[in-house]
Amino acid sequence: MTNVPELFGSLVFNQSVMKQMLPSKIYKALKLTMENGTPLDIHSANQIADAMKNWAVSKGATHYSHWFQPLSGITAEKHDSFLTPVEEGKIIMSFSGKELIKGEPDASSFPSGGKRSTFEARGYTVWDPTSYPFIKDHTLCIPTAFCSYTGEALDKKTPLLRSMEALNEQSLRILKLFGNEAKHVTTTMGPEQEYFLVDEKLYQKRKDLKMCGRTLLGAKPVKGQEMDDQYFAAIKPRVIKYMEELNNELWKLGIYAKTEHNEAAPAQHEMAPIFTTSNLAADQNQLTMEIMKKVARKHGLICLLHEKPFEGVNGSGKHNNWSVATDTGENLFSPGKTPRDNAQFLLFLTAVIKAVDDNQDLLRYSVASAGNDHRLGANEAPPAIMSIYVGDELDAILEAIKNGTTYDGTKGGKMTIGADVLPPIPKDSTDRNRTSPFAFTGNRFEFRSVGSALSISGPNTILNAILADTLKKFANELEKSDDFNNDLQKLIKREITEHWRILFNGNGYGKEWIEEAEKRGLKNYRTTPKAIEHYLDQKNIDLFEGLGIYTKEEMQSHSDIKLEKYCQVLNIEVETMKEMVYKDLIPSAFKYMNLLADTEFKIQRVSNLCDAGLNMMKKLNDLVNELSKNTELLTAIHEEIKQLPSMMEKAHGYAKKVIPQMEAVRQIADQIEPLLGQEFKPYPSYEDLLYSVQ
């Protein structure tokens, strides 16, 4: 029986361990650094580093690593041992404050959008004391930011930290106007992580899963998810064992793994943690994805985190639950018990509404990837169109504010706002809309468009930034007011009226919404290249530079990296598809046709009554010919796209020409697969993959 309280955080150098191992004066200095960014002197840093080393060695660690999140979207680490030579061929285990605070990994081989060449290799990792060090594989991992020699951010953590500080600064300006004495505001996250589990032996026989993380070919199984019997169903014994070990490994690392269940599709599951601060949540989610994959292999399984591993069944998302809170524990997205609290809540809600409407392009960009393009809008995830769901009652309240009328709702517990114009706010009466990309769920917003494989640092950097920018504009206006209460009412009414189009409580999966959204003037960037195209619009550059989150040069490099990755992913998919067609599917079809021909010949020698074999051969032959022609056409289109001069042109070419031709190839290939005899299957089928783990 696992002793969870004893196990939890046992591999984390958290505040409990710090307090135990550090002198009181040093511990207090470190807390000031963690909470306020107060610089540490080298004497304190040396004592902290030595305590970390002693603790890590006692847990079996032999190395340390500056653990960071480059722009590749995954984590990186370089291990150095604690070993230090002394006299007479002996060694001691040592770790200095200088080694703790700063590292110098090679920066030339990480994605940089062309900003770092091989002969400009220097980069720096800098300790982030707001995220706890932890032990992984006998190595003390120290969460760090990663920047270039010239100070440019080369990672996802640095912009996230900048965005959190920008939101803190602008939120405090607003809170001060309400007489709120909070000293710090932070964002919290709770990313729900969806994933698939498949048998490793079957996975190894699928080139597309190994190379691309998703199936490029595969006929629909007889039974998919249409019976709605997967969601929350009893978990299979083999999966339960996996989940038990996964929980133990996550708990050791202080990750608040809370919820686990089967998802809607066969072989699909979900893990959800408890909320924590955005920076820590981002680090922990990266660790979670890594550990999910590692533990799966120990159980003969493969954990698939691609947004759309299987055609015809639900893809996987990472529902990003985002909220804002003060150091006093006050949730700024939650209605309160006083008139001040309710007016404050309405202003922050209005700021979110304005921020999302004004920055639809940035939110779409934040979740754009080749994999997520397959998922968004596919009757399983929100469309590429951004909108906000607030629930019927809150929607009615906002409409009353917009129209200057009263609201006489009857649901939920009501609380009165100070100004007569502002109606009562019902509490805890908001439903959930699973079809909305951005849904208010009582005290937080659930950003449902995030793909399962994506680092949540990017989307949350943008969420923090657009809210900070909007609050900055509100503060600039309200700080000049001579009649705060009256001007507050006017501002809320004006902004809700101007941004009413972004509110939508209906079915986001329906075709009617796409038509309605177009009438409202909402943006619908269906593909990643289209979303990237607008990232460097001047309004976005002004927003990020005005808040000190990104420079124009950093934005350019990040845009280039995203474009290049999109093209690289699709290049790999095209080449993999061609290999599967030419090396697996067509040879299997020929072998089966040869058997049919041989069988037909033998039957014809004794009877002229059976021509089923001839019919099957003709059908297969026609399909194989069509498949071959379409694959040759795919090759020609692909070569044409690769010759285009710019990366943006290539990306649009992949989206407009290559992907449709890949779908044409697949449509034919998936007709051939079910016609082949069982022993002639070119690769494990969907039925094998989705139903083999028991």
Side-chain angles (χ1 to χ4, degrees):
M1 187 73 179
T2 302
N3 186 336
V4 178
E6 184 177 313
L7 185 71
F8 190 84
S10 57
L11 296 181
V12 183
F13 193 76
N14 54 31
Q15 288 198 42
S16 175
V17 178
M18 294 174 192
K19 193 171 184 178
Q20 177 185 343
M21 299 199 65
L22 293 172
S24 176
K25 183 180 178 181
I26 303 298
Y27 172 67
K28 289 177 181 177
L30 179 55
K31 278 201 72 177
L32 285 174
T33 299
M34 294 169 64
E35 293 171 1
N36 304 323
T38 306
L40 272 175
D41 60 75
I42 190 63
H43 171 71
S44 299
N46 281 330
Q47 291 200 55
I48 294 166
D50 190 58
M52 268 191 206
K53 180 263 299 179
N54 291 338
W55 170 80
V57 169
S58 75
K59 297 288 185 179
T62 56
H63 290 67
Y64 70 91
S65 173
H66 277 196
W67 184 82
F68 58 101
Q69 300 174 38
L71 296 172
S72 60
I74 56 176
T75 60
E77 52 196 69
K78 175 173 74 79
H79 298 186
D80 288 293
S81 74
F82 293 122
L83 183 151
T84 301
V86 291
E87 295 178 353
E88 300 180 351
K90 300 289 186 179
I91 61 103
I92 60 171
M93 303 292 267
S94 68
F95 184 47
S96 70
K98 182 179 178 181
E99 290 169 318
L100 166 64
I101 291 171
K102 188 173 74 172
E104 189 180 329
D106 180 359
S108 65
S109 298
F110 290 106
S112 67
K115 294 196 70 62
R116 306 296 295 156
S117 57
T118 303
F119 66 87
E120 296 172 314
R122 184 169 291 181
Y124 293 109
T125 48
V126 182
W127 176 35
D128 170 20
T130 65
S131 187
Y132 300 133
F134 56 90
I135 294 173
K136 178 169 70 76
D137 299 330
H138 305 293
T139 298
L140 172 66
C141 294
I142 302 156
T144 56
F146 182 44
C147 62
S148 74
Y149 177 70
T150 51
E152 294 141 343
L154 294 175
D155 67 343
K156 293 182 177 291
K157 176 184 281 280
T158 302
L160 178 61
L161 292 171
R162 292 172 182 170
S163 74
M164 292 172 68
E165 180 51 40
L167 184 54
N168 169 57
E169 180 182 343
Q170 301 307 325
S171 296
L172 289 177
R173 290 178 65 191
I174 293 292
L175 294 179
K176 185 178 179 181
L177 295 171
F178 287 95
N180 191 314
E181 297 181 355
K183 295 180 180 178
H184 192 77
V185 171
T186 189
T187 56
T188 60
M189 286 192 287
E192 304 169 24
Q193 181 72 57
E194 295 177 341
Y195 61 99
F196 281 83
L197 290 175
V198 297
D199 188 275
E200 185 174 11
K201 292 179 181 177
L202 299 176
Y203 166 89
Q204 294 294 345
K205 297 177 181 178
R206 294 276 322 204
K207 187 172 295 181
D208 48 5
L209 284 179
K210 288 194 293 181
M211 296 293 104
C212 311
R214 76 177 184 103
T215 54
L216 303 174
L217 306 175
K220 185 179 178 181
V222 175
K223 178 178 180 288
Q225 64 188 64
E226 62 273 9
M227 298 294 291
D228 296 323
D229 56 350
Q230 312 290 335
Y231 195 54
F232 281 22
I235 302 172
K236 302 291 174 56
R238 191 173 173 191
V239 178
I240 278 286
K241 289 182 180 178
Y242 163 78
M243 288 180 171
E244 287 174 352
E245 184 169 354
L246 174 64
N247 284 333
N248 284 344
E249 294 302 313
L250 295 177
W251 289 337
K252 287 178 190 176
L253 292 168
I255 297 172
Y256 300 104
K258 176 75 171 177
T259 303
E260 59 193 28
H261 61 82
N262 286 344
E263 255 298 334
Q268 188 184 33
H269 314 281
E270 181 179 296
M271 187 284 289
I274 297 173
F275 282 62
T276 188
T277 57
S278 294
N279 182 36
L280 190 56
D283 284 357
Q284 291 185 346
N285 185 249
Q286 291 294 119
L287 267 177
T288 295
M289 291 191 288
E290 178 185 331
I291 293 166
M292 279 179 161
K293 293 178 180 179
K294 186 182 295 184
V295 172
R297 286 190 177 272
K298 293 173 68 175
H299 291 262
L301 301 169
I302 293 292
C303 175
L304 300 176
L305 293 174
H306 193 284
E307 293 83 357
K308 190 72 173 177
F310 301 102
E311 185 72 20
V313 299
N314 277 10
S316 295
K318 178 146 48 192
H319 305 157
N320 188 92
N321 293 283
W322 172 72
S323 195
V324 182
T326 69
D327 57 326
T328 59
E330 181 182 6
N331 188 320
L332 299 178
F333 290 161
S334 182
K337 297 180 180 179
T338 69
R340 185 215 70 173
D341 291 342
N342 290 319
Q344 179 181 285
F345 161 72
L346 271 179
L347 185 61
F348 273 88
L349 177 63
T350 302
V352 172
I353 291 170
K354 174 179 171 61
V356 172
D357 189 25
D358 284 345
N359 300 284
Q360 301 166 48
D361 53 343
L362 285 177
L363 287 177
R364 174 65 181 95
Y365 170 87
S366 77
V367 298
S369 71
N372 212 23
D373 282 359
H374 293 292
R375 169 179 164 265
L376 292 178
N379 244 23
E380 67 197 62
I385 305 162
M386 292 297 146
S387 65
I388 300 177
Y389 167 85
V390 293
D392 291 339
E393 282 197 286
L394 197 48
D395 185 75
I397 289 172
L398 295 176
E399 186 166 22
I401 294 172
K402 176 171 72 81
N403 297 332
T405 59
T406 58
Y407 171 71
D408 298 320
T410 56
K411 298 178 182 177
K414 296 179 187 174
M415 297 154 286
T416 303
I417 289 179
D420 293 337
V421 176
L422 301 180
I425 299 179
K427 188 177 182 181
D428 298 330
S429 62
T430 305
D431 198 358
R432 298 183 72 187
N433 185 334
R434 296 182 61 83
T435 74
S436 173
F438 204 74
F440 181 66
T441 55
N443 61 0
R444 64 189 184 275
F445 285 91
E446 184 179 18
F447 190 19
R448 295 179 55 83
S449 301
V450 183
S452 55
L454 190 68
S455 165
I456 56 176
S457 292
N460 284 280
T461 295
I462 287 179
L463 284 173
N464 295 344
I466 63 175
L467 181 57
D469 181 64
T470 305
L471 293 175
K472 180 180 178 182
K473 292 171 182 173
F474 286 2
N476 288 343
E477 179 178 341
L478 293 173
E479 284 172 350
K480 300 173 185 175
S481 173
D482 294 325
D483 186 347
F484 175 71
N485 197 50
N486 183 58
D487 289 340
L488 173 65
Q489 295 175 50
K490 289 180 180 178
L491 184 150
I492 290 174
K493 179 177 180 179
R494 181 192 73 216
E495 297 297 340
I496 288 172
T497 302
E498 288 183 6
H499 300 286
W500 188 256
R501 65 176 184 171
I502 202 70
L503 299 176
F504 178 66
N505 284 353
N507 179 14
Y509 293 175
K511 292 181 180 178
E512 300 81 6
W513 167 233
I514 296 175
E515 296 170 1
E516 171 64 22
E518 186 176 357
K519 292 177 184 176
R520 295 188 185 193
L522 299 180
K523 296 175 174 63
N524 186 6
Y525 299 146
R526 297 173 184 270
T527 67
T528 290
K530 197 67 179 174
I532 296 174
E533 200 173 58
H534 294 278
Y535 179 60
L536 291 170
D537 289 352
Q538 191 59 47
K539 79 168 185 71
N540 297 334
I541 295 171
D542 292 343
L543 185 154
F544 286 120
E545 288 195 328
L547 294 170
I549 295 172
Y550 290 123
T551 64
K552 181 180 178 180
E553 290 72 24
E554 287 171 337
M555 292 177 68
Q556 181 68 63
S557 68
H558 294 183
S559 173
D560 291 346
I561 289 167
K562 194 179 277 265
L563 264 181
E564 185 175 13
K565 184 174 182 180
Y566 178 83
C567 294
Q568 288 171 340
V569 165
L570 284 161
N571 177 69
I572 292 168
E573 288 189 354
V574 170
E575 296 302 328
T576 303
M577 175 176 270
K578 286 163 54 181
E579 285 205 9
M580 291 180 72
V581 167
Y582 289 133
K583 293 184 178 180
D584 298 328
L585 187 55
I586 289 180
S588 294
F590 282 153
K591 287 179 184 177
Y592 187 49
M593 289 164 67
N594 184 62
L595 174 65
L596 289 173
D598 186 54
T599 303
E600 181 66 20
F601 175 74
K602 292 176 181 177
I603 291 174
Q604 289 288 350
R605 293 180 63 181
V606 297
S607 170
N608 292 320
L609 299 178
C610 181
D611 57 1
L614 287 173
N615 291 337
M616 178 64 78
M617 279 191 291
K618 184 177 186 311
K619 186 173 183 179
L620 276 172
N621 186 67
D622 290 345
L623 285 170
V624 168
N625 282 335
E626 192 177 351
L627 177 62
S628 181
K629 289 176 184 176
N630 273 274
T631 307
E632 290 173 7
L633 180 57
L634 173 63
T635 301
I637 293 172
H638 188 212
E639 289 303 316
E640 173 193 330
I641 298 306
K642 288 196 292 184
Q643 301 307 313
L644 292 173
S646 74
M647 197 62 69
M648 181 62 80
E649 289 176 283
K650 290 177 184 178
H652 279 301
Y654 275 112
K656 294 175 182 177
K657 294 184 177 181
V658 173
I659 290 176
Q661 187 56 32
M662 289 178 70
E663 291 171 352
V665 169
R666 177 173 192 151
Q667 193 270 334
I668 303 163
D670 291 356
Q671 291 180 61
I672 295 174
E673 182 192 330
L675 300 179
L676 304 179
Q678 183 68 18
E679 66 272 29
F680 294 93
K681 288 195 305 184
Y683 31 70
S685 67
Y686 268 29
E687 181 181 342
D688 298 329
L689 292 164
L690 294 173
Y691 293 100
S692 63
V693 179
Q694 299 296 323

